[in-house]
Amino acid sequence: MKILVVDDEEDVQPLFLQRFRKEIRNNEIELDFAHSGEEALEYLKEKHSEVVLILSDINMPGMSGIELLGHIREDFPMPPPPVVMMVTAYGDEENYKQAMEKGANDFLTKPLDFNLLKEKLKTISE
Amino acid sequence: MYAFPFIAIFLLMIRLRKSLKFTDYFYKWNLKLNLIGWGALGLMIILGSSGINDEVAGIIGAFSLAGVLYYLHKEPIFKPYGVLLRAHYPLVVVAPIVELVYLISESFYDKYDDFFQCAYAVAFGYIYVKIATSKKQLDEIARINLRKNELEAMVAERTAEITSQRNALEETVKELKATQAQLIQQEKLASLGELTAGIAHEIQNPLNFVNNFSEVSMELIDEMEAEIAKGDMEEANAIAADIKQNLEKIRHHGKRADGIVKGMLQHSRASSNIKEPTNLNTIADEYFRLAYHGLRAKDKSFNAELVSNFDEHLPLVNMVSQDVGRVLLNMFTNAFYAVHQKQKSVGGDFKPKVEVSTKVLPGNNVEIIVRDNGTGIPDAIKDKIMQPFFTTKPAGEGTGLGLSLSYDIIVKAHKGTININSKEGEGSEFIITLPVA
């Protein structure tokens, strides 16, 4: 299962790689990273068919996660559309509403609870 | 006739004693002057009854007068009576000449006796004419002195008035200075308020990393132990390398949070005014993010592209870092505010963008440019924006002190410059130059 993680914080990459160390070793999941919404769209142009799940930060300079979500839903509607989970440090009503309106599948708050995330991944892969 | 010099001495003594009467010198001089006066009269009578001829007595009288005048001239306290004393000179000169002429040639004297007697009388009379006129002068002087005293009293009164006014003004200036300091502190606190959300976000992020990396490291250690138990040393070593890297990350993010807290404390603290070599890029980057997250926290719908072009070869700049930081924060906040306003009015396709760049300038200067594509500054208010208390923000949102304080900090305290290029509706560019040393 290919997962794209979008976050402007570069250290998110080693963190995810280590958190999912076992899963990656067992070839259960594969992680790719983008550091901005723009980079994520670039990546998706080529690999949208492979990506099953997109985890995107909302608060990023330039294109925000919400905008990225809009683009994903518009540009890649062909089934099966990727599951998109929005992640934000600002877990407020407004963000949540916007994300859900634009078609997010889930809404997570930072700091990420990786055990919870793994549980969610299991339900997706089943 | 011989009596004239003696009488002159006697009268002079009376006059002097009268003049000294109410001064401190009276006690010391009264007796002496009395003795001289009455002595002169006594001498006159003795000479008159002794049978010495009148002419010799007259010459003795003239010399006595000369002696008395000489004696008085030497005493400093009689200096003010110079005019009075000098009025006697003609008599001192004329009396002996007239007497001598008589002694030498009585016939010659008789021939011109009217003239000689007249000269004698005039010399004697001159004394009293002179005294009378000098008395007039003295009266005049006394009048002038009185007037002078009145004027001096008026001047003193005015001076006192002016002094009290000046003191009142100084007091007011002091109060104004205190108020200004208070306003500056308020402006600092206001900008700190704008920062809190940004700071919270900026601290939360590194804290999340610290928590996550330490948690994952603990898991990794469990895994490493398992690998060692299995005997897979290669995998165990790989995990150990990861753990080491994580600890490095924990340290890095801990320091990041530390720096932010320190920066925040520095921002609110009264400025130390001590210039220190500072990395301008770091400060600019830090406040760029804080300003952005601060505004974002207030309005979730806001988003902007942040572009930074930092010159890596920028030398350390000698500056009061919290002051220059405050200026940058102000510039960034303004820039974000401007693009946000434009986004609200234009909406849709508008892509807000704020850019910061640093550059080395020739002549040992550095330049920092804050550029935005926001609302821009209308020409009508361009020359007002640096004025204290001028703000375009709604009442209660801005103190109107940001740019005026920035001007003080950059231009007055750091000998730098601030230039503004702006076109209404297209954006603004704030160009700050600072001398390196």
Side-chain angles (χ1 to χ4, degrees):
Chain A
M1 178 168 73
K2 196 167 235 175
I3 300 173
L4 174 66
V5 180
V6 189
D7 200 310
D8 59 318
E9 289 274 4
E10 302 214 345
D11 278 346
V12 161
Q13 186 163 344
L15 182 66
F16 269 74
L17 288 176
Q18 289 179 15
R19 283 288 191 176
F20 291 100
R21 185 186 180 82
K22 267 192 220 155
E23 290 79 357
I24 293 168
R25 221 159 40 128
N26 300 339
N27 289 323
E28 288 167 24
I29 66 170
E30 191 182 334
L31 290 176
D32 273 322
F33 297 89
H35 296 119
S36 69
E38 290 85 350
E39 209 180 297
L41 283 181
E42 232 11 77
Y43 172 93
L44 284 173
K45 267 185 202 162
E46 290 177 19
K47 307 200 174 169
H48 65 92
S49 54
E50 300 169 32
V51 173
V52 178
L53 171 67
I54 299 168
L55 268 171
S56 175
D57 186 23
I58 291 180
N59 181 39
M60 292 180 292
M63 186 187 292
S64 75
I66 301 282
E67 280 177 83
L68 173 63
L69 173 61
H71 281 293
I72 292 170
R73 288 300 178 232
E74 273 176 36
D75 299 353
F76 311 101
M78 52 287 258
V83 174
V84 181
M85 292 185 178
M86 303 308 293
V87 186
T88 178
Y90 307 106
D92 56 280
E93 214 44 30
E94 172 100 27
N95 261 335
Y96 178 81
K97 230 175 66 189
Q98 272 190 334
M100 288 308 169
E101 271 172 16
K102 294 248 177 172
N105 298 86
D106 210 337
F107 189 86
L108 307 172
T109 52
K110 281 184 180 177
L112 269 181
D113 182 342
F114 280 88
N115 293 327
L116 182 73
L117 183 59
K118 282 181 189 177
E119 287 301 314
K120 288 183 189 257
L121 290 188
K122 264 183 206 160
T123 56
I124 292 170
S125 59
E126 274 164 12
Chain B
M1 296 245 283
Y2 75 92
F4 281 154
F6 294 106
I7 292 169
I9 293 173
F10 181 68
L11 292 177
L12 176 62
M13 289 309 117
I14 289 175
R15 188 166 293 278
L16 287 178
R17 278 173 50 226
K18 226 168 102 185
S19 307
L20 288 180
K21 195 141 199 174
F22 298 108
T23 70
D24 298 336
Y25 304 109
F26 184 69
Y27 174 76
K28 183 182 167 194
W29 282 94
N30 186 34
L31 184 64
K32 273 188 201 170
L33 296 177
N34 250 335
L35 280 177
I36 295 172
W38 290 108
L41 268 194
L43 186 60
M44 181 183 82
I45 292 163
I46 293 166
L47 287 174
S49 56
S50 67
I52 292 176
N53 60 26
D54 286 359
E55 288 69 36
V56 176
I59 290 170
I60 291 171
F63 278 108
S64 306
L65 178 58
V68 168
L69 292 177
Y70 177 72
Y71 173 66
L72 294 178
H73 265 308
K74 278 198 315 186
E75 294 296 331
I77 74 144
F78 293 111
K79 215 173 171 121
Y81 304 98
V83 175
L84 179 62
L85 299 183
R86 277 191 295 277
H88 293 77
Y89 288 179
L91 185 61
V92 171
V93 176
V94 168
I97 290 173
V98 171
E99 305 292 11
L100 273 177
V101 167
Y102 185 88
L103 282 177
I104 293 166
S105 167
E106 207 179 322
S107 60
F108 181 78
Y109 179 89
D110 283 342
K111 201 172 167 191
Y112 298 104
D113 65 340
D114 284 353
F115 169 77
F116 286 116
Q117 282 167 17
C118 203
Y120 215 133
V122 166
F124 185 71
Y126 175 80
I127 298 169
Y128 301 98
V129 171
K130 190 78 191 164
I131 287 170
T133 54
S134 79
K135 193 162 179 278
K136 237 193 210 164
Q137 279 176 351
L138 284 175
D139 285 352
E140 186 73 5
I141 289 169
R143 219 168 50 80
I144 289 170
N145 276 338
L146 197 68
R147 181 78 188 130
K148 195 180 117 200
N149 287 343
E150 277 171 25
L151 285 172
E152 268 173 4
M154 271 164 76
V155 168
E157 200 180 310
R158 298 269 158 85
T159 309
E161 224 171 273
I162 290 168
T163 309
S164 82
Q165 275 174 358
R166 194 200 59 196
N167 288 346
L169 280 175
E170 266 175 7
E171 202 55 40
T172 313
V173 167
K174 235 189 261 170
E175 272 171 38
L176 278 173
K177 278 194 177 148
T179 313
Q180 188 195 28
Q182 226 173 350
L183 280 170
I184 290 173
Q185 196 56 31
Q186 264 173 21
E187 164 69 22
K188 280 186 192 174
L189 288 178
S191 60
L192 185 67
E194 277 169 15
L195 278 185
T196 35
I199 288 166
H201 179 268
E202 285 297 283
I203 293 176
Q204 188 61 56
N205 262 346
L207 273 183
N208 287 346
F209 279 117
V210 168
N211 290 335
N212 277 319
F213 277 117
S214 51
E215 239 176 84
V216 81
S217 296
M218 270 158 53
E219 284 173 20
L220 285 178
I221 285 174
D222 289 343
E223 283 178 36
M224 187 172 74
E225 281 170 353
E227 297 297 341
I228 291 170
K230 264 198 273 171
D232 187 345
M233 291 314 284
E234 199 180 323
E235 186 61 18
N237 281 336
I239 294 173
D242 276 355
I243 293 172
K244 191 175 173 191
Q245 187 196 21
N246 288 358
L247 293 176
E248 191 54 49
K249 299 263 178 224
I250 289 169
R251 205 173 63 123
H252 166 74
H253 288 285
K255 275 194 175 159
R256 195 173 137 195
D258 188 58
I260 290 159
V261 171
K262 282 211 178 88
M264 182 181 73
L265 288 178
Q266 232 172 28
H267 182 84
S268 56
R269 203 164 27 215
S271 168
S272 63
N273 286 325
I274 295 169
K275 289 183 186 146
E276 278 167 355
T278 311
N279 187 333
L280 191 58
N281 287 345
T282 314
I283 302 258
D285 187 46
E286 193 177 300
Y287 280 104
F288 198 29
R289 297 160 67 93
L290 285 178
Y292 175 66
H293 291 302
L295 192 57
R296 262 223 32 117
K298 262 198 240 164
D299 190 338
K300 305 288 181 305
S301 67
F302 175 66
N303 201 286
E305 187 184 349
L306 277 62
V307 180
S308 41
N309 294 310
F310 293 127
D311 185 343
E312 284 171 21
H313 303 294
L314 205 72
L316 294 182
V317 179
N318 202 34
M319 63 189 202
V320 186
S321 62
Q322 67 253 52
D323 282 356
V324 176
R326 218 139 47 76
V327 173
L328 291 175
L329 175 68
N330 183 254
M331 303 276 159
F332 295 142
T333 311
N334 287 347
F336 286 124
Y337 185 81
V339 294
H340 191 31
Q341 290 303 109
K342 191 165 168 188
Q343 190 183 36
K344 276 198 244 173
S345 64
V346 179
D349 292 335
F350 174 62
K351 294 258 172 249
K353 183 173 165 185
V354 176
E355 217 179 320
V356 56
S357 55
T358 54
K359 197 167 90 181
V360 184
L361 289 186
N364 225 13
N365 287 309
V366 297
E367 178 184 73
I368 175 158
I369 300 180
V370 180
R371 193 181 291 130
D372 66 70
N373 61 351
T375 47
I377 304 163
D379 283 334
I381 63 164
K382 258 183 196 158
D383 49 349
K384 289 190 199 145
I385 56 171
M386 289 286 180
Q387 288 172 9
F389 305 111
F390 180 82
T391 178
T392 58
K393 293 181 182 171
E397 278 190 33
T399 59
L401 286 175
L403 278 178
S404 116
L405 286 179
S406 296
Y407 182 85
D408 284 357
I409 290 168
I410 296 298
V411 179
K412 291 192 189 159
H414 287 84
K415 309 284 174 238
T417 61
I418 300 182
N419 285 304
I420 303 160
N421 295 323
S422 182
K423 214 165 189 190
E424 194 175 0
E426 289 184 18
S428 305
E429 191 178 59
F430 283 78
I431 304 162
I432 300 172
T433 62
L434 284 172
V436 170

